[in-house]
Amino acid sequence: SVDCASLVSKNKAFARVTESIRPAGEVVGAGEHSYVVQPNVNAGYRVVNTLLAGGARVGRLTTQVEAVGQHFSSGAFVITDASRQDVAAIARETGVSFFALDHTLKGETTPVRTPRIGLYRRYWSGNMDEGWTRLVLEQLGFSYEPLWDKAIITGDLNTAYDVIILPDDSTDMIVGGDKEIEKRLQNSPVPERYRSGIGDEGVNNIRTFVENGGTLIAISGACAFAIEKLGLQITDVVAGKPRKEFFCPGCTLRVQVDTTHPLAYGMPADALALCWDNPAFVVRQSHFNDHYHVVASYPERDILQSGWLVGEEHLAGRAAMVSVNYGEGRAILYGFRVQF
């Protein structure tokens, strides 16, 4: 055993750590025209949400820009109508650095606004993945509303929400239906008002929501719901395969990211994704292939970074994340557990 206290006192190369060490955020530069935050730090999204709530204007660069000796990649946040004092306080609190400009950037920006998010929440013992999604949204400062079955079945979704998130779940658990509920009751008897499922009416309302301009985000298993119920021209190539052919029990896999796509702003071209019996996608040939955008895909080989993966060949070159233009809206399919 090692006496750490003795080691520290005898060796001046060591220093005792008595509290957490926060990353240092600062305001770099003397300008006060606008401020830029790089898009590759998670806490940057908390910063943006804080600023939007305080009345600042925020945009995202759609091109790469060089300014004040810095390279700002596509997706960098440009903040105006915020005081230097407020920005400095947020930098100290969050550890995120701001770059202060005295001029307008010569790059195109798209405005950022606070999205109205509905997070699907069901009964039948709840859904652990919904809880993890909640945690991420709350940590990064995104407001959301729990979206129960009744609101999906009876509500005008476009009036209330811009984005609906379906955490990892099976289509049967989301939709329900008489036969499915009867089967569940044999193993888990619950009062009638807690028998979850959106039914055909809820499915139609979600489809209408997307067609009318809403964004549907499906995570891992919930992608099957989006593919089937929206009639997407996508095949999950590992669906139904026995475990001896495909088994991915919580692994870190390598993915290649299209960093020019707005959904991937701030990501490295080579990234890691946590997968747990995740789907892998092929976009089928159709007259509407221009509506389908592969945002992330698996490399052709050496996919496993950490864990246990059987059937790597089924993932090789397949899409891991797809964005689909659907009517006036879009469906975003994350084949992996994006919260992690």
Side-chain angles (χ1 to χ4, degrees):
S1 64
V2 177
D3 183 347
C4 293
S6 171
L7 187 62
V8 168
S9 64
K10 292 178 180 178
N11 190 331
K12 297 185 181 302
F14 290 90
R16 184 184 297 277
V17 177
T18 58
E19 58 185 1
S20 61
I21 301 174
R22 299 172 62 91
E26 59 181 340
V27 181
V28 180
E32 295 190 22
H33 176 276
S34 58
Y35 304 90
V36 183
V37 171
Q38 296 283 23
N40 58 343
V41 180
N42 285 344
Y45 294 84
R46 178 182 163 202
V47 163
V48 169
N49 283 322
T50 300
L51 289 165
L52 287 172
R57 286 187 299 157
V58 182
R60 299 198 80 174
L61 284 174
T62 59
T63 56
Q64 302 182 49
V65 173
E66 302 286 339
V68 294
Q70 294 288 326
H71 173 79
F72 299 116
S73 62
S74 300
F77 297 101
V78 182
I79 298 107
T80 54
D81 296 340
S83 72
R84 189 179 182 94
Q85 182 178 2
D86 289 343
V87 166
I90 293 172
R92 288 192 299 271
E93 179 187 352
T94 63
V96 174
S97 289
F98 292 74
F99 295 89
L101 307 180
D102 58 6
H103 60 278
T104 300
L105 283 177
K106 295 181 180 180
E108 295 184 6
T109 61
T110 56
V112 174
R113 62 187 178 87
T114 303
R116 302 170 301 163
I117 300 172
L119 177 61
Y120 179 56
R121 185 180 297 180
R122 62 163 170 79
Y123 294 111
W124 297 99
S125 302
N127 179 353
M128 185 182 295
D129 204 57
E130 184 263 336
W132 286 118
T133 308
R134 253 189 292 155
L135 177 65
V136 171
L137 292 175
E138 290 167 5
Q139 286 182 331
L140 299 184
F142 287 95
S143 298
Y144 67 91
E145 291 184 5
L147 187 55
W148 298 96
D149 296 328
K150 184 177 179 180
I152 294 178
I153 294 169
T154 63
D156 182 348
L157 298 176
N158 292 97
T159 299
Y161 306 104
D162 302 306
V163 179
I164 291 176
I165 302 175
L166 301 178
D168 175 61
D169 214 347
S170 70
T171 300
D172 284 343
M173 291 300 290
I174 296 170
V175 177
D178 293 340
K179 289 185 178 180
E180 173 62 25
I181 289 176
E182 184 179 349
K183 183 173 70 175
R184 290 184 214 167
L185 288 173
Q186 295 175 4
N187 299 317
S188 179
V190 297
E192 184 172 354
R193 62 179 176 155
Y194 298 130
R195 298 175 188 177
S196 187
I198 65 174
D200 292 338
E201 193 171 359
V203 170
N204 291 335
N205 282 347
I206 287 181
R207 187 183 302 115
T208 299
F209 165 78
V210 181
E211 288 175 338
N212 289 344
T215 296
L216 178 69
I217 295 176
I219 300 173
S220 197
C223 293
F225 169 90
I227 292 170
E228 177 186 345
K229 301 306 180 182
L230 298 183
L232 304 182
Q233 298 300 306
I234 293 176
T235 298
D236 175 6
V237 296
V238 297
K241 289 194 178 298
R243 288 194 166 193
K244 64 180 181 180
E245 292 184 26
F246 179 73
F247 187 45
C248 181
C251 309
T252 309
L253 305 184
R254 295 181 174 90
V255 291
Q256 298 171 334
V257 182
D258 177 7
T259 58
T260 65
H261 195 286
L263 289 172
Y265 282 165
M267 289 295 295
D270 297 303
L272 299 174
L274 182 70
C275 303
W276 195 301
D277 291 334
N278 51 293
F281 308 119
V282 168
V283 177
R284 300 194 298 272
Q285 290 294 320
S286 73
H287 294 296
F288 305 101
N289 281 121
D290 59 324
H291 293 183
Y292 292 74
H293 308 276
V294 175
V295 183
S297 57
Y298 297 105
E300 293 291 343
R301 55 181 297 175
D302 298 326
I303 298 171
L304 179 66
Q305 189 271 339
S306 179
W308 180 17
L309 174 64
V310 176
E312 176 185 84
E313 66 275 12
H314 299 301
L315 300 180
R318 305 305 193 186
M321 176 184 173
V322 181
S323 176
V324 185
N325 296 337
Y326 190 91
E328 297 297 318
R330 60 179 175 169
I332 301 169
L333 278 58
Y334 287 94
F336 45 91
R337 300 294 183 90
V338 64
Q339 309 95 319
F340 302 100

